[in-house]
Amino acid sequence: FSFRRIRQSTSQENCVLYFEGCGEEYKNYMVRLLTYLPGTNLLGIPADPQILYKIGRTLAQINKALTEFKHPNIESLRRDSYDWNLSNIHQLHKYLFAVKNTSDRQIVEQIIQQFMKKILPNINNFHKSIIHGDFSHTNILVQPLHSSADCSNAAGHMQQELEISGILDFGEMACGYYVYDVAICIMYLTLDSEDPLHVGGHILAGFESVIPLTLQERDALYLLVLCRFSQSLVFGTYNILLYPDNEEYLLTTLRTGWKHLRQLWELGKEAVEKVWFETAKSYLTL
């Protein structure tokens, strides 16, 4: 897999301070230059089973590579108090006031309760690793595998076999657990899917072709996906109050996220797992 690399300045620095002024007013900006990666991200592109499988497999390959990662400052990746750490789902309580829909707020509260009761006591049984932390549709670059293989589906959308051309944004890297990265990935790839319920199965199949999850990790996956939905939706709603000028970006998840969270919650763990695990199992016979 490919990722962007920093290009140093002429003074051998990774970042440089840039001053921009108008009259007596000046603003300071930190600027860095990164190498270019080809492709486009998956935002707004419904991912088919083939690319979802590749995404799951690539994520596992990254997790496996990061297991061997060593650095003198590796302790900085132990982000134990970070709001976006799935282990800190309870910290959502202080932001829930921003969610005005009572039913949605109650769903999130119940998800937090279930995490504290069912997952937190068993968390040390999960495989530990350094994780990407934000393996989302906006951070995965794809491009056509064969430019001559274009065809249209029944809805008239152009279909191409895609390959992953690069991975962006390692800024959320942290010490965590394999299953956290899988849950985060499933949550974000669900957003633009034309078949959202099956997304988890295709990603899981790809991931487990490299790193099989344990029974305990599989048992936690459904609730962890709901936890990530809760984090993204609550933080997004809260941040719109703080930064209304950035609403368009913050609505990326909110536009469809609440609908998907409600659907998964209403279907329940058993029904969703049945779809995911049967979909993943079907790859074993191919």
Side-chain angles (χ1 to χ4, degrees):
F1 50 89
S2 299
F3 53 92
R4 296 183 296 181
R5 299 176 185 274
I6 293 177
R7 288 290 184 243
Q8 290 188 323
S9 69
T10 54
S11 56
Q12 305 301 304
E13 294 176 307
N14 290 335
C15 294
V16 296
L17 189 61
Y18 171 73
F19 297 93
E20 182 176 74
C22 181
E24 296 182 356
E25 292 186 8
Y26 283 87
K27 289 186 177 180
N28 301 336
Y29 300 94
M30 291 301 298
V31 179
R32 62 178 178 174
L33 180 66
L34 302 174
T35 54
Y36 173 78
L37 290 179
T40 182
N41 67 34
L42 283 165
L43 182 62
I45 302 175
D48 63 21
Q50 195 170 48
I51 192 63
L52 290 171
Y53 180 89
K54 291 178 182 179
I55 288 168
R57 185 175 179 84
T58 300
L59 176 60
Q61 290 169 337
I62 291 174
N63 279 171
K64 197 169 185 178
L66 288 174
T67 302
E68 306 300 323
F69 178 73
K70 290 180 173 54
H71 191 276
N73 296 320
I74 198 168
E75 285 298 314
S76 65
L77 296 180
R78 299 191 183 281
R79 308 168 81 170
D80 296 336
S81 59
Y82 187 41
D83 277 348
W84 283 94
N85 184 336
L86 275 173
S87 295
N88 294 331
I89 186 72
H90 61 281
Q91 293 181 188
L92 283 184
H93 281 302
K94 57 188 175 184
Y95 304 103
L96 272 175
F97 71 89
V99 180
K100 303 307 179 184
N101 184 298
T102 302
S103 177
D104 290 339
R105 193 166 59 249
Q106 289 175 343
I107 289 173
V108 173
E109 288 170 343
Q110 291 179 71
I111 289 169
I112 295 171
Q113 290 172 7
Q114 289 196 21
F115 177 91
M116 303 302 290
K117 179 180 178 181
K118 298 179 179 180
I119 292 184
L120 198 57
N122 301 310
I123 205 167
N124 288 328
N125 295 321
F126 298 163
H127 284 112
K128 295 180 180 179
S129 176
I130 295 171
I131 62 174
H132 181 278
D134 193 15
F135 210 72
S136 69
H137 54 324
T138 59
N139 290 329
I140 301 167
L141 297 179
V142 296
Q143 62 184 8
L145 183 60
H146 304 294
S147 60
S148 60
D150 296 352
C151 60
S152 296
N153 64 10
H157 300 305
M158 189 64 72
Q159 295 292 292
Q160 300 170 313
E161 183 178 352
L162 300 174
E163 65 176 353
I164 297 171
S165 58
I167 305 299
L168 304 178
D169 193 2
F170 285 77
E172 298 295 314
M173 277 178 57
C175 296
Y177 306 93
Y178 289 149
V179 69
Y180 278 16
D181 248 0
V182 182
I184 291 166
C185 182
I186 290 174
M187 178 257 143
Y188 284 113
L189 269 297
T190 295
L191 292 174
D192 292 323
S193 176
E194 295 175 343
D195 186 15
L197 192 55
H198 285 81
V199 165
H202 300 301
I203 291 174
L204 181 62
F207 190 91
E208 290 195 313
S209 71
V210 179
I211 303 175
L213 296 182
T214 66
L215 290 177
Q216 286 178 311
E217 288 168 335
R218 274 185 156 222
D219 185 59
L221 188 57
Y222 165 78
L223 189 52
L224 288 172
V225 171
L226 298 189
C227 286
R228 188 54 165 203
F229 263 113
S230 299
Q231 286 180 319
S232 188
L233 293 167
V234 172
F235 288 144
T237 304
Y238 172 74
N239 282 326
I240 286 176
L241 298 179
L242 295 182
Y243 312 107
D245 292 343
N246 201 28
E247 183 174 359
E248 184 61 27
Y249 169 75
L250 294 169
L251 284 172
T252 301
T253 299
L254 297 177
R255 284 193 181 94
T256 60
W258 285 113
K259 178 186 71 175
H260 290 309
L261 176 59
R262 293 181 201 117
Q263 180 190 38
L264 292 174
W265 178 256
E266 290 166 5
L267 285 171
K269 181 175 183 289
E270 184 177 348
V272 174
E273 283 183 345
K274 185 174 187 294
V275 175
W276 287 354
F277 296 163
E278 287 184 358
T279 300
K281 186 178 180 181
S282 69
Y283 282 82
L284 300 177
T285 61
L286 297 178

